[in-house]
Amino acid sequence: MVTVAILWLSTGYFGGIGAPFAPYFWPYLAQLPKKKERKRPVRVYMDGCFDLMHYGHANALRQAKLLGDQLVVGVAKLLGDQLVVGVVSDEEIVANKGPPVLSMEERLTLVSGLKWVDEVIPNAPYEITEEFMNTLFNKYNIDYIIHGDDPCLLPDGTDAYALAKKVGRYKQIKRTEGVSSTDIVGRILLTFKQKEAGSMEATTDANVAVNQNTGADTYDKVKSQLSNFLPTSRRIMQFSNGQAPLPGARVVYIDGAFDLFHAGHVEILRSARQLGDFLLVGVHDDQAIRDRRGYRPIMHLHERTLSVLACRYVDEVIIGAPWEVSRDMITTFNISLVVHGTVTEGSSVVGIDPYAVPKSMGIFQTITSPKPITTVSVATRIIDNHEAYKKRNLKKKASEDRYYTQKKFVSGD
């Protein structure tokens, strides 16, 4: 090999343009390493209800995308990866879990808005049947079907992914601890109570026992529903783009609570991003929201931060952003435009306009919120169907308790 290399260089240098080797050296060319042929990207499939979208859903899809990039077929690693996500139909959710909170349209908006998702299949079945599995393999060119390490059981107790496991096309990722849709429904049911038709009264973990006259038992139940999520800097980095705005970029700023991250949030962030080159989002802290809404957010600051960071239209987040947009803040982040939607929650302190400075600088703009959805409107759907969701949660909680009792360590991110 060394001889061949020397002759290549010498003939190229002294011989000029032409064949670099004499014919008697050609047999040695077979010994040279051959360039690997480019393969198609690995395509992985993951499905879910994605009802009450939270950072656990986002992290599962992030892991699925990452896993697709790591899979090896044959002797050559496939180049790139693509994540295809199936969103389970309303009918299938009702049959297997209970009534969904969000509509199919809202759930599609949330899933499509995640930065790791390449393609979405609406109205996917809850069970991976042989027919649907063949459709995934033949029509969508799926290489592997992915799910978390928590069990996904059908009403008869069988594994929804049994067939995928049987044919060797199943891969498992680690479940994100500390949150689930069941948990969030529980938080909502214990945060709000129905006063009368069409109105709700919010309560907090600190005053629920007093307001409902149920004593310490109810207070303990509320405390048990609080988030168990333990935020780490690594998780935030995994969700972050890790990029600063380019020189001369038009930085757009929008702020809010972004509680119970929903389709309305995705659409307003999309609209804001279209107005510039870099979208900076301010997420207010729990106390600031409580001061203006009268109750703490359902999701705490770091949970809400991850949900916002997972959105494909967001470039950077200010964690615990100030309520008022100051001149110093505008200068620090080189903000070109401050925007706010027409659908808002909470109220500002009387006499104080949080956008007074950007308005005086001529860089403030109100944009029409594409959807009228709010955190309270989503919570109202659950309150209005209190009994149905209570039964759904009791059933699901039993399954989750079994998972945590039998849980074993699973490597993953």
Side-chain angles (χ1 to χ4, degrees), residues 201-218:
E201 177 182 352
T203 59
T204 68
D205 56 320
N207 64 18
V208 66
V210 175
N211 287 349
Q212 296 184 336
N213 298 316
T214 52
D217 180 59
T218 301

PDB file of all heavy atoms in Angstrom, residues 201-218:
ATOM      1  N   GLU A 201     -63.295  28.301  39.963  1.00  0.00           N
ATOM      2  CA  GLU A 201     -62.494  28.990  40.953  1.00  0.00           C
ATOM      3  C   GLU A 201     -61.190  28.241  41.081  1.00  0.00           C
ATOM      4  O   GLU A 201     -61.178  27.018  41.234  1.00  0.00           O
ATOM      5  CB  GLU A 201     -63.202  29.020  42.311  1.00  0.00           C
ATOM      6  CG  GLU A 201     -62.372  29.679  43.400  1.00  0.00           C
ATOM      7  CD  GLU A 201     -63.072  29.662  44.746  1.00  0.00           C
ATOM      8  OE1 GLU A 201     -64.245  29.272  44.792  1.00  0.00           O
ATOM      9  OE2 GLU A 201     -62.427  30.028  45.735  1.00  0.00           O
ATOM     10  N   ALA A 202     -60.107  28.968  41.028  1.00  0.00           N
ATOM     11  CA  ALA A 202     -58.808  28.327  41.150  1.00  0.00           C
ATOM     12  C   ALA A 202     -58.410  28.260  42.612  1.00  0.00           C
ATOM     13  O   ALA A 202     -58.667  29.160  43.384  1.00  0.00           O
ATOM     14  CB  ALA A 202     -57.756  29.111  40.370  1.00  0.00           C
ATOM     15  N   THR A 203     -57.781  27.161  42.978  1.00  0.00           N
ATOM     16  CA  THR A 203     -57.241  27.024  44.314  1.00  0.00           C
ATOM     17  C   THR A 203     -55.776  26.685  44.191  1.00  0.00           C
ATOM     18  O   THR A 203     -55.300  26.296  43.131  1.00  0.00           O
ATOM     19  CB  THR A 203     -57.956  25.905  45.089  1.00  0.00           C
ATOM     20  OG1 THR A 203     -57.805  24.687  44.372  1.00  0.00           O
ATOM     21  CG2 THR A 203     -59.432  26.218  45.255  1.00  0.00           C
ATOM     22  N   THR A 204     -55.033  26.825  45.254  1.00  0.00           N
ATOM     23  CA  THR A 204     -53.611  26.515  45.225  1.00  0.00           C
ATOM     24  C   THR A 204     -53.298  25.486  46.281  1.00  0.00           C
ATOM     25  O   THR A 204     -54.090  25.216  47.181  1.00  0.00           O
ATOM     26  CB  THR A 204     -52.753  27.774  45.487  1.00  0.00           C
ATOM     27  OG1 THR A 204     -52.965  28.165  46.851  1.00  0.00           O
ATOM     28  CG2 THR A 204     -53.150  28.905  44.568  1.00  0.00           C
ATOM     29  N   ASP A 205     -52.107  24.918  46.201  1.00  0.00           N
ATOM     30  CA  ASP A 205     -51.718  23.908  47.172  1.00  0.00           C
ATOM     31  C   ASP A 205     -51.688  24.481  48.581  1.00  0.00           C
ATOM     32  O   ASP A 205     -51.830  23.756  49.565  1.00  0.00           O
ATOM     33  CB  ASP A 205     -50.341  23.350  46.802  1.00  0.00           C
ATOM     34  CG  ASP A 205     -49.298  24.436  46.686  1.00  0.00           C
ATOM     35  OD1 ASP A 205     -49.610  25.528  46.156  1.00  0.00           O
ATOM     36  OD2 ASP A 205     -48.165  24.186  47.105  1.00  0.00           O
ATOM     37  N   ALA A 206     -51.540  25.781  48.711  1.00  0.00           N
ATOM     38  CA  ALA A 206     -51.431  26.387  50.025  1.00  0.00           C
ATOM     39  C   ALA A 206     -52.784  26.660  50.663  1.00  0.00           C
ATOM     40  O   ALA A 206     -52.902  26.708  51.879  1.00  0.00           O
ATOM     41  CB  ALA A 206     -50.642  27.696  49.932  1.00  0.00           C
ATOM     42  N   ASN A 207     -53.838  26.847  49.846  1.00  0.00           N
ATOM     43  CA  ASN A 207     -55.121  27.218  50.447  1.00  0.00           C
ATOM     44  C   ASN A 207     -56.257  26.258  50.143  1.00  0.00           C
ATOM     45  O   ASN A 207     -57.391  26.507  50.511  1.00  0.00           O
ATOM     46  CB  ASN A 207     -55.523  28.634  50.001  1.00  0.00           C
ATOM     47  CG  ASN A 207     -55.769  28.723  48.508  1.00  0.00           C
ATOM     48  OD1 ASN A 207     -55.969  27.718  47.842  1.00  0.00           O
ATOM     49  ND2 ASN A 207     -55.755  29.935  47.982  1.00  0.00           N
ATOM     50  N   VAL A 208     -55.965  25.147  49.467  1.00  0.00           N
ATOM     51  CA  VAL A 208     -57.036  24.248  49.072  1.00  0.00           C
ATOM     52  C   VAL A 208     -57.789  23.691  50.280  1.00  0.00           C
ATOM     53  O   VAL A 208     -59.002  23.558  50.267  1.00  0.00           O
ATOM     54  CB  VAL A 208     -56.495  23.100  48.182  1.00  0.00           C
ATOM     55  CG1 VAL A 208     -55.560  22.205  48.955  1.00  0.00           C
ATOM     56  CG2 VAL A 208     -57.646  22.302  47.596  1.00  0.00           C
ATOM     57  N   ALA A 209     -57.082  23.364  51.361  1.00  0.00           N
ATOM     58  CA  ALA A 209     -57.748  22.795  52.528  1.00  0.00           C
ATOM     59  C   ALA A 209     -58.707  23.786  53.166  1.00  0.00           C
ATOM     60  O   ALA A 209     -59.775  23.420  53.646  1.00  0.00           O
ATOM     61  CB  ALA A 209     -56.695  22.353  53.549  1.00  0.00           C
ATOM     62  N   VAL A 210     -58.325  25.075  53.124  1.00  0.00           N
ATOM     63  CA  VAL A 210     -59.172  26.099  53.707  1.00  0.00           C
ATOM     64  C   VAL A 210     -60.389  26.355  52.834  1.00  0.00           C
ATOM     65  O   VAL A 210     -61.527  26.407  53.309  1.00  0.00           O
ATOM     66  CB  VAL A 210     -58.380  27.413  53.897  1.00  0.00           C
ATOM     67  CG1 VAL A 210     -59.296  28.517  54.403  1.00  0.00           C
ATOM     68  CG2 VAL A 210     -57.224  27.189  54.867  1.00  0.00           C
ATOM     69  N   ASN A 211     -60.182  26.504  51.522  1.00  0.00           N
ATOM     70  CA  ASN A 211     -61.270  26.840  50.612  1.00  0.00           C
ATOM     71  C   ASN A 211     -62.298  25.729  50.479  1.00  0.00           C
ATOM     72  O   ASN A 211     -63.487  25.974  50.295  1.00  0.00           O
ATOM     73  CB  ASN A 211     -60.713  27.164  49.221  1.00  0.00           C
ATOM     74  CG  ASN A 211     -60.017  28.515  49.196  1.00  0.00           C
ATOM     75  OD1 ASN A 211     -60.128  29.281  50.142  1.00  0.00           O
ATOM     76  ND2 ASN A 211     -59.302  28.778  48.123  1.00  0.00           N
ATOM     77  N   GLN A 212     -61.841  24.480  50.538  1.00  0.00           N
ATOM     78  CA  GLN A 212     -62.754  23.367  50.331  1.00  0.00           C
ATOM     79  C   GLN A 212     -63.185  22.711  51.633  1.00  0.00           C
ATOM     80  O   GLN A 212     -63.978  21.778  51.634  1.00  0.00           O
ATOM     81  CB  GLN A 212     -62.100  22.320  49.420  1.00  0.00           C
ATOM     82  CG  GLN A 212     -61.822  22.863  48.021  1.00  0.00           C
ATOM     83  CD  GLN A 212     -61.271  21.793  47.110  1.00  0.00           C
ATOM     84  OE1 GLN A 212     -60.698  20.816  47.563  1.00  0.00           O
ATOM     85  NE2 GLN A 212     -61.435  21.980  45.816  1.00  0.00           N
ATOM     86  N   ASN A 213     -62.624  23.226  52.775  1.00  0.00           N
ATOM     87  CA  ASN A 213     -62.985  22.708  54.091  1.00  0.00           C
ATOM     88  C   ASN A 213     -62.863  21.185  54.168  1.00  0.00           C
ATOM     89  O   ASN A 213     -63.708  20.491  54.711  1.00  0.00           O
ATOM     90  CB  ASN A 213     -64.431  23.113  54.442  1.00  0.00           C
ATOM     91  CG  ASN A 213     -64.584  24.616  54.528  1.00  0.00           C
ATOM     92  OD1 ASN A 213     -63.740  25.288  55.118  1.00  0.00           O
ATOM     93  ND2 ASN A 213     -65.640  25.140  53.935  1.00  0.00           N
ATOM     94  N   THR A 214     -61.788  20.674  53.577  1.00  0.00           N
ATOM     95  CA  THR A 214     -61.600  19.221  53.565  1.00  0.00           C
ATOM     96  C   THR A 214     -60.433  18.788  54.440  1.00  0.00           C
ATOM     97  O   THR A 214     -60.105  17.613  54.490  1.00  0.00           O
ATOM     98  CB  THR A 214     -61.359  18.734  52.137  1.00  0.00           C
ATOM     99  OG1 THR A 214     -60.317  19.500  51.554  1.00  0.00           O
ATOM    100  CG2 THR A 214     -62.611  18.866  51.301  1.00  0.00           C
ATOM    101  N   GLY A 215     -59.775  19.729  55.081  1.00  0.00           N
ATOM    102  CA  GLY A 215     -58.729  19.380  56.024  1.00  0.00           C
ATOM    103  C   GLY A 215     -57.421  18.972  55.386  1.00  0.00           C
ATOM    104  O   GLY A 215     -57.200  19.124  54.198  1.00  0.00           O
ATOM    105  N   ALA A 216     -56.546  18.419  56.226  1.00  0.00           N
ATOM    106  CA  ALA A 216     -55.176  18.117  55.811  1.00  0.00           C
ATOM    107  C   ALA A 216     -55.113  17.001  54.781  1.00  0.00           C
ATOM    108  O   ALA A 216     -54.176  16.930  54.001  1.00  0.00           O
ATOM    109  CB  ALA A 216     -54.334  17.741  57.033  1.00  0.00           C
ATOM    110  N   ASP A 217     -56.114  16.116  54.754  1.00  0.00           N
ATOM    111  CA  ASP A 217     -56.100  15.000  53.815  1.00  0.00           C
ATOM    112  C   ASP A 217     -56.052  15.485  52.376  1.00  0.00           C
ATOM    113  O   ASP A 217     -55.268  15.007  51.561  1.00  0.00           O
ATOM    114  CB  ASP A 217     -57.333  14.131  54.028  1.00  0.00           C
ATOM    115  CG  ASP A 217     -57.355  12.950  53.066  1.00  0.00           C
ATOM    116  OD1 ASP A 217     -56.405  12.156  53.107  1.00  0.00           O
ATOM    117  OD2 ASP A 217     -58.315  12.848  52.278  1.00  0.00           O
ATOM    118  N   THR A 218     -56.895  16.469  52.042  1.00  0.00           N
ATOM    119  CA  THR A 218     -56.917  17.029  50.694  1.00  0.00           C
ATOM    120  C   THR A 218     -55.609  17.744  50.392  1.00  0.00           C
ATOM    121  O   THR A 218     -55.074  17.656  49.289  1.00  0.00           O
ATOM    122  CB  THR A 218     -58.090  17.995  50.523  1.00  0.00           C
ATOM    123  OG1 THR A 218     -59.293  17.290  50.766  1.00  0.00           O
ATOM    124  CG2 THR A 218     -58.130  18.571  49.116  1.00  0.00           C
TER     125      THR A 218
END
